[in-house]
Amino acid sequence: MATTLETLPPAQEAGNSVPHAKRIWYRTTLFNAFVIGAVGFLAPGLWNAMNALGAGGGQEPYLVNAANALVFALMGFLAVLGGPIANRIGFAWTLFLGAVGYPIYSAGLYTNNRFGNVWLVLVGAALCGISAGLFWAAEGAVALGYPEASKRGRYLNIWLWFRTGGPLVGGLIVLILNNNAEAKHKGSVNPNTYLIFIGLQCIAAPIALFLTKPENVQRGDGTKVIVDSEKSFKYEFRSLWNLSKRRDILLLLPIFWAAYFNQYSGNFQTYYFGVRARALIGFVSNFSTLFSSQVMSMFLDWKRFPVKRRLEIAFWYIVVCHVTAWIYAWVIQEKYTAHPLALDWADSGFAEGFFVLVLWEWSRQSLQTWMYYFIATKSDSISELSRLSGILRGQESFSQAVSFGLNTKKWHGGRVPLAVNTILLGIASVPTYIALRENVPVATKDESADSSDESVALETVTIGKEKAQSPV
């Protein structure tokens, strides 16, 4: 496809005023960030709140780990295929289908907690996995492709704040319902917790339909969202296959796996903390996620350095964060292995175990924000970004499926999952650095340009898939 660019008339280029059109609020990037944020808050956000308790709030982690392995295995396939599906049926309907499975999963946890039912946990997990795969493919593409390039980090952070708001509110609900003398000890959460979550998650799917079509989005800098979807599913899947074979994507596969492989954190909580301590951890640890994302996104949008230099500096920052987190985790785990205990928040040793989880969350979120930003520099087409984000989320999901499967067994001292995580992160750092050094970020618009939230310049930029990359 040829590259075309509609430029302003000479008089306007010389400094005369540019015609502006009033923006429609429900077509702005900010409104659409709120839409995907709200769906993320209610669907996966509350799902994360339950899993932040460890074992989905259950007394033992093994059934929930098996269910989550099923969730992420199915999510992996649907996330990879979700890009072509979203490009054909539209992002709003993909996001809608991506939200409907979450309340069924929560219903399975409720019936298991209340009645000991097992089959609905597994059925809910299967439906949630299918649904979630579509959700992540659509949401990732919107988060990366709707914002203008100069504000991509900011909008990624808005999306993350909403999605983490789910675990924050959910964690607060759990904390209120499980703050009693009995909850000082090991056990499962109050079953009423799940009923509140189910009700809230049912609201997510209708909200998804408020998402604006990509071609109608009005950015603050006047550029248009580029849509170059293929003419049929056959060509969509061919484009996906060709993208999957690219050297830069293959180099990133190990880090896609390593980023979310640590699901031992849920086991760690159930082994060493009482119910109300787990509830507090599930609430407070989200602040680590938020602040970590805030730091990373602000730096990635900082104009002092070119995009590639920002990515390189952030990479080494992430390495330091992970080395610190994992060395500390190994030290505390070996201590707990030698002297097992069940901690309440009032106990003197609570803080040292709590900070294992805080550091894991901080380093993991830094890496995820960086990965999404890195992926976004590879294309300015939302159609291709939907495929890229689907590949990213798909590999993350396969990784979590394997990790949850690994953690269905009670390993002595957690040494096997800890060792696998440590080795995987170490191995992944090498090809990731190579991919980073070889990356040439795509520039859609001068990042130093000012973006107005009140009006939009009448400028159209249409760039085809065959466009050569230009360094930022």
Side-chain angles (χ1 to χ4, degrees), residues 340-351:
L341 67 175
L343 293 165
D344 181 58
W345 70 45
D347 295 335
S348 59
F350 172 78

Side-chain angles (χ1 to χ4, degrees), residues 325-339:
W326 285 92
I327 290 176
Y328 182 73
W330 272 103
V331 170
I332 299 302
Q333 177 63 71
E334 289 302 307
K335 179 180 177 179
Y336 287 180
T337 301
H339 305 285

Side-chain angles (χ1 to χ4, degrees), residues 114 262 333:
R114 188 77 173 80
N262 179 23
Q333 177 63 71

Side-chain angles (χ1 to χ4, degrees), residues 134-153:
L134 296 174
F135 174 86
W136 288 114
E139 189 196 42
V142 172
L144 298 176
Y146 275 31
E148 48 268 46
S150 62
K151 294 185 177 180
R152 187 170 285 137

Side-chain angles (χ1 to χ4, degrees), residues 96-228:
F96 173 88
L97 294 173
V100 296
Y102 284 94
I104 303 173
Y105 175 92
S106 300
L109 293 184
Y110 170 76
T111 58
N112 178 258
N113 182 296
R114 188 77 173 80
F115 309 109
N117 181 294
V118 173
W119 71 266
L120 188 57
V121 174
L122 299 176
V123 170
L127 294 176
C128 184
I130 294 169
S131 189
L134 296 174
F135 174 86
W136 288 114
E139 189 196 42
V142 172
L144 298 176
Y146 275 31
E148 48 268 46
S150 62
K151 294 185 177 180
R152 187 170 285 137
R154 183 185 307 177
Y155 281 100
L156 277 172
N157 201 45
I158 291 174
W159 164 51
L160 187 278
W161 272 78
F162 266 101
R163 182 158 56 85
T164 308
L168 270 173
V169 173
L172 184 60
I173 292 169
V174 171
L175 190 58
I176 292 170
L177 293 178
N178 295 276
N179 182 18
N180 52 59
E182 292 182 0
K184 290 183 179 181
H185 310 292
K186 294 183 179 180
S188 57
V189 301
N190 187 322
N192 292 332
T193 305
Y194 299 107
L195 295 178
I196 297 173
F197 284 12
I198 292 167
L200 291 172
Q201 286 177 324
C202 287
I203 305 172
I207 293 176
L209 297 178
F210 287 97
L211 190 72
T212 304
K213 292 182 178 180
E215 58 268 25
N216 294 333
V217 171
Q218 295 177 339
R219 290 171 169 169
D221 63 0
T223 58
K224 293 289 186 181
V225 176
I226 300 162
V227 182
D228 54 14

